Amino acid sequence: MTRALRDRTYATFEGGKSASSLEGLCKGLLAEQRASWPELRQAYDSLRGTRYRDMACNGFSVRLLFNPGRAVNTTAAVSPEEIRERPCFLCVANLPAGQRYILYRREFLILGNPRPVVPFHLTIAHLDHQPQAIAGHMEAFLRIAADLGPGFTTLYNGPRCGASAPDHLHFQAVPSGQMPIEKEIDGTKGSTLPSLTAGVSVFRMAGLGREIILIEGGDARPVADAFEHYVRALKDGLAPPGQPGEEPMLNAAASFDGKTWRLLVFPRRAHRPAAFYRKDDGKVLVSPAIMEMAGVIVTPAERDFDRLDAGAIESLYREVSLSHD
Ligand SMILES: [Zn+2]
């Protein structure tokens, strides 16, 4: 380990029976960072002013979030040119002064997300600067969910549908139970899809306003295999416009209750609704990523927080979700 890496290491996690709980380490890291790193303290102070509005839509519900301390008129752009011109904020060499992390299984850095949407929001960045892609990393994604325990849900944004750093592999994690979809799938009857993987169940959820695939199983490797099988089928049959070889647009969320992994996949057809690009009063500044697909809709503009209604949310989901019909 280089000296720079060691100095910023709050803790290391290698697993094993004698290991401290990862959830406890993460909460300790966030408490330490809020005390010692002004940027995170300010972000959490601003988070306290977050307003929310719950909205019943046709068959599902959403929670709109507006943080007056973080209101913006424009939003971060992630074009290839802009990415090339900025130093990567997830590379260990470029982390802001004051930011520390948990070194996770010698492969990932667990960091306090400096722009938390909810309290205890974590960013989980790979040690190496490599493109955001889920292929070959789903098992690690599931492993992190299990190591964090049932109190946390891990999140993935595809490189063209919500990832803030498409050039650096990363996940997020948030406390479980805050995203409406987590409860809604329990009461929903999905249709069973054929699973080519023993011990894994695959469902297509119905009536929740957007396409959702649920993959469940008691072992990480078969769940990851079933996911990769689904992604290949998406690529072959329903590939949205993109670069050849690029993964189909999707967001994912995983949790582990001690016995079973539950993996939710949201296939996408568009990154943002057409209204996002409007120049007039009809502009809607919502940029759907995994939290939005799971029912937590961040509205950076107060105007959208006030005026979005159930019909607007339903059509937003229809526009960005990839329907199998
Ligand atoms: Zn990087």
Side-chain angles (χ1 to χ4, degrees):
M1 200 187 292
T2 66
R3 176 137 185 276
L5 207 56
R6 198 162 49 233
D7 288 349
R8 285 170 172 272
T9 306
Y10 169 79
T12 56
F13 180 87
E14 303 267 357
K17 284 214 181 340
S18 60
S20 309
S21 109
L22 185 58
E23 177 175 9
L25 289 177
C26 291
K27 290 190 167 163
L29 169 75
L30 289 168
E32 190 279 332
Q33 290 279 269
R34 285 173 65 172
S36 74
W37 183 26
E39 189 179 341
L40 198 71
R41 181 164 58 243
Q42 283 156 19
Y44 273 83
D45 286 348
S46 142
L47 201 56
R48 276 203 289 272
T50 300
R51 288 157 56 196
Y52 69 88
R53 187 155 75 86
D54 290 331
M55 197 187 295
C57 299
N58 186 12
F60 63 97
S61 68
V62 295
R63 169 166 286 195
L64 302 188
L65 292 185
F66 171 66
N67 182 344
R70 293 253 301 276
V72 292
N73 295 317
T74 57
T75 195
V78 287
S79 72
E81 297 73 34
E82 284 154 325
I83 296 293
R84 267 198 301 277
E85 281 163 18
R86 60 123 171 87
C88 174
F89 57 88
L90 294 180
C91 275
V92 72
N94 304 327
L95 292 181
Q99 189 167 28
R100 300 181 71 199
Y101 49 73
I102 296 164
L103 185 58
Y104 172 84
R105 294 186 184 273
R106 304 178 196 193
E107 193 181 6
F108 287 90
L109 304 177
I110 302 182
L111 304 145
N113 187 322
R115 298 179 65 78
V117 172
V118 293
F120 302 105
H121 194 162
L122 302 167
T123 301
I124 302 164
H126 198 275
L127 265 175
D128 302 327
H129 185 80
Q130 58 175 298
Q132 178 80 332
I134 196 64
H137 301 290
M138 178 48 79
E139 210 174 339
F141 182 67
L142 296 170
R143 173 64 51 203
I144 294 167
D147 284 335
L148 283 168
F152 275 92
T153 296
T154 49
L155 310 176
Y156 172 78
N157 284 318
R160 289 187 302 119
C161 50
S164 54
D167 53 342
H168 191 128
L169 176 62
H170 67 287
F171 309 132
Q172 302 172 59
V174 293
S176 298
Q178 309 202 32
M179 302 185 293
I181 202 67
E182 293 174 86
K183 295 181 188 79
E184 286 167 346
I185 52 169
D186 284 330
T188 307
K189 266 266 176 257
S191 54
T192 308
L193 297 181
S195 169
L196 299 184
T197 314
V200 177
S201 305
V202 183
F203 304 96
R204 179 185 178 201
M205 308 313 290
L208 294 170
R210 67 279 205 199
E211 189 73 22
I212 304 173
I213 301 297
L214 167 63
I215 303 175
E216 285 184 329
D219 290 298
R221 185 65 251 166
V223 171
D225 285 345
F227 169 78
E228 276 160 24
H229 176 79
Y230 170 73
V231 170
R232 269 197 303 278
L234 258 189
K235 233 179 184 163
D236 293 345
L238 296 155
Q243 304 301 318
E246 215 171 60
E247 75 183 29
M249 279 196 277
L250 60 87
N251 309 99
S255 59
F256 182 72
D257 67 2
K259 270 169 65 182
T260 304
W261 274 275
R262 175 183 262 187
L263 173 62
L264 288 171
V265 185
F266 301 86
R268 300 282 300 271
R269 85 164 105 223
H271 175 202
R272 290 162 168 160
F276 183 92
Y277 301 99
R278 286 172 68 152
K279 300 271 186 269
D280 59 10
D281 186 55
K283 184 176 180 69
V284 175
L285 207 56
V286 171
S287 191
I290 178 58
M291 297 211 41
E292 282 74 15
M293 297 312 290
V296 173
I297 299 191
V298 177
T299 55
E302 187 170 22
R303 183 174 79 158
D304 295 330
F305 177 78
D306 290 335
R307 73 179 177 177
L308 283 175
D309 60 13
I313 298 296
E314 288 159 15
S315 72
L316 184 147
Y317 276 143
R318 274 196 300 275
E319 210 176 328
V320 301
S321 177
L322 179 71
S323 169
H324 287 220
D325 295 325

